[in-house]
């Protein structure tokens, strides 16, 4: 079951931009805005909102966020593999 903090910028995509000096257990990215100087933010707390896609599941039926979470779980292995490929490699 997915939680109430739902990412509109998926964590698996953010991990590709993780700070090289950051923790692997609690990775973070640099955030750039027009209004403030750059700052570091943990991936788990960036790029999401509470109940962005749907309310938290009651367990009886799958919500949209539950379905998105399942889809992402199946894609994570592909994304990890793609990150190891040399630049310019074509992926079908």
């Amino acid at each position: 079951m997915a939680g109430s903090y739902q990412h509109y910028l998926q964590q698996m995509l953010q991990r590709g931009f993780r700070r090289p000096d950051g923790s692997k257990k609690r990775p973070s990215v640099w955030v750039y805005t027009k209004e403030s100087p750059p700052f570091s933010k943990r991936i788990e707390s960036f790029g999401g909102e509470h109940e962005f896609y749907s309310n938290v599941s009651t367990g009886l039926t799958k919500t949209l966020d539950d379905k998105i979470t399942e889809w992402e779980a199946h894609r994570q292995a592909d994304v990890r593999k793609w990150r190891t490929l040399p630049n310019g490699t074509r992926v079908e």
Side-chain angles (χ1 to χ4, degrees), residues 77-87 89:
D78 291 336
V79 171
R80 276 190 228 105
K81 179 179 72 177
W82 297 335
R83 286 187 182 137
T84 65
L85 298 174
N87 288 343
T89 302

